[in-house]
Amino acid sequence: MVHLTADETALVTGLWAKVNVKEYGGEALGRLLVVYPWTQRFFEHFGDLSSASAVMHNPKVKAHGEKVLASFGDGLKHLDDLKGAFAELSALHCEKLHVDPQNFKLLGNMLVCVLSRHLGKEFSPQAQAAYEKVVAGVANALAHKYH
Amino acid sequence: MVHFTAEEKSAVTSLWGKVNVEEAGGEALGRLLVVYPWTQRFFDTFGNLSSASAIMGNPKVKAHGKKVLTSFGDAVKNMDNLKNAFAKLSELHCDKLHVDPENFRLLGNVLVIILASHFGKEFTPDTQAAWQKLVSGVANALSHKYH
C-alpha cells in the first residue's frame, strides 16, 4: 500500500489532469524499448523496432503505451488499494506474459522521466517524490500475484 | 567496461556543453534528498533539511551538488575509462563516507530526470539512452573499489 499525504495526493491528481495519456503513454513505452532494449523481447510482434525513430513512431507501440498508461491512471483512483486494483493485471503479467517484475520499475522510471520532460518546472521535487512513491507502489502491486 | 558508440558520445557531450553545472548540481542533490529522504543521513552537517523548500534552498546542498556534478563532468571526458577515473572517489565513498552504492544509481536517475526537465524536446530517446548508460557506468565505477 502506498502512503501519500494529502498534499502528495493533491499533487499527483492535479498533475495527472494535465497528462495527455495517449501521447505520454506512447512515449513512455517507446522510451522503455529504446533505453532498455531487452524489453523489446515482449513486443516482437509489434513490427519495426529497429531504431529509436522506428520505435517512437511505431503505431502498435503508441497504442499499447496508451493502454498501459490508461491503466496506470485507473490505478491513481485506488491509491489505498493498489494491490487489489492491479491483482488481475499482476496475474496476467506473471502467468500469460511472463514479464520480469523488474521491468515494471523500469517503466515507472520512464514515466517519471516523461512527466519531467513535459511538465518542466511544474514537476517540482515534491511532485517527483510523490510520483516516485506511486510508480513504486504500482510496480509492487503488479508483482504481487507472482508465483 | 561500458562501450559508447560515437553517436552516444556525441549525444552526451553536446548536451553536457549546455548544462549549468552549478544549478543542475544543486538541483540534483536537492531532489535526491527530497525524493529519497534516507539519503539525508549522509548530510547531517548541512543544517536545515526539514522540508523540500529548505533542502532546495540550502546553500550547503547547492555547493555540494555543484561539486558532485563537476566531478561527474570528469566522467564525460573519460567515458572509455570510467573505473580509473573514479577509482579514488570510489575508495573515498567506501572507506571514509560509507555510502551504500545503491545511492549512486538513485543520483544517476535524478540527474536523468533533471536533464529531461531542462532539455525537453532535445532530450530525445537516443540521448536519454546514452545518458542512462553513462550514469549507470559512473555508478558501477563508483562501486568498483568497494570491499
Side-chain angles (χ1 to χ4, degrees):
Chain A
M1 197 171 108
V2 185
H3 292 279
L4 294 183
T5 63
D7 285 344
E8 285 172 330
T9 304
L11 268 174
V12 166
T13 47
L15 283 177
W16 191 254
K18 304 182 185 192
V19 165
N20 178 329
V21 170
K22 182 172 181 170
E23 190 192 329
Y24 294 19
E27 187 181 337
L29 184 62
R31 280 181 186 255
L32 181 80
L33 299 175
V34 170
V35 176
Y36 308 112
W38 59 87
T39 56
Q40 292 173 23
R41 67 179 287 271
F42 299 109
F43 303 101
E44 270 154 16
H45 50 288
F46 270 28
D48 187 5
L49 300 177
S50 60
S51 67
S53 166
V55 168
M56 300 313 286
H57 290 100
N58 183 309
K60 287 187 172 179
V61 170
K62 290 183 182 193
H64 195 69
E66 179 183 357
K67 187 173 169 184
V68 167
L69 202 63
S71 171
F72 183 88
D74 287 341
L76 293 184
K77 297 174 198 149
H78 301 277
L79 289 171
D80 289 335
D81 184 23
L82 288 174
K83 290 192 167 92
F86 285 100
E88 270 180 51
L89 277 172
S90 179
L92 174 76
H93 281 77
C94 168
E95 290 157 17
K96 295 258 154 60
L97 305 176
H98 309 298
V99 176
D100 185 326
Q102 175 62 14
N103 293 307
F104 307 142
K105 298 195 166 111
L106 299 183
L107 184 59
N109 280 354
M110 287 301 105
L111 178 57
V112 170
C113 193
V114 168
L115 291 173
S116 175
R117 205 175 82 76
H118 285 262
L119 298 172
K121 275 193 159 44
E122 221 177 333
F123 197 62
S124 64
Q126 298 91 319
Q128 181 184 342
Y131 264 99
E132 293 220 17
K133 265 178 166 174
V134 173
V135 302
V138 171
N140 285 342
L142 279 167
H144 190 63
K145 291 286 184 189
Y146 269 63
H147 56 87
Chain B
M1 193 173 109
V2 189
H3 292 279
F4 294 92
T5 64
E7 289 84 2
E8 285 170 335
K9 285 184 183 176
S10 167
V12 165
T13 48
S14 70
L15 207 73
W16 187 251
K18 304 178 195 186
V19 168
N20 178 327
V21 170
E22 175 163 6
E23 189 192 318
E27 191 181 343
L29 185 61
R31 281 184 184 250
L32 181 81
L33 299 175
V34 169
V35 177
Y36 311 110
W38 58 88
T39 57
Q40 292 172 27
R41 66 179 287 272
F42 299 109
F43 303 101
D44 282 337
T45 61
F46 275 26
N48 186 3
L49 302 178
S50 61
S51 68
S53 62
I55 288 169
M56 301 311 287
N58 182 308
K60 286 187 174 181
V61 170
K62 289 183 182 191
H64 195 70
K66 177 183 174 185
K67 188 172 168 182
V68 167
L69 205 63
T70 302
S71 168
F72 195 91
D74 287 342
V76 175
K77 292 181 204 140
N78 290 288
M79 287 167 75
D80 288 333
N81 200 350
L82 292 172
K83 288 194 167 90
N84 266 355
F86 286 97
K88 286 211 163 90
L89 276 173
S90 180
E91 281 176 13
L92 174 75
H93 282 75
C94 168
D95 296 335
K96 295 254 154 61
L97 305 176
H98 310 299
V99 175
D100 185 327
E102 177 59 24
N103 293 308
F104 307 144
R105 284 167 235 299
L106 297 182
L107 185 59
N109 277 352
V110 172
L111 181 57
V112 169
I113 284 162
I114 284 171
L115 293 175
S117 164
H118 286 214
F119 290 103
K121 269 192 162 44
E122 218 178 327
F123 199 62
T124 63
D126 276 333
T127 300
Q128 180 181 352
W131 273 93
Q132 302 236 197
K133 241 179 154 175
L134 181 62
V135 301
S136 163
V138 171
N140 286 341
L142 279 167
S143 313
H144 190 64
K145 293 286 185 184
Y146 270 63
H147 58 87

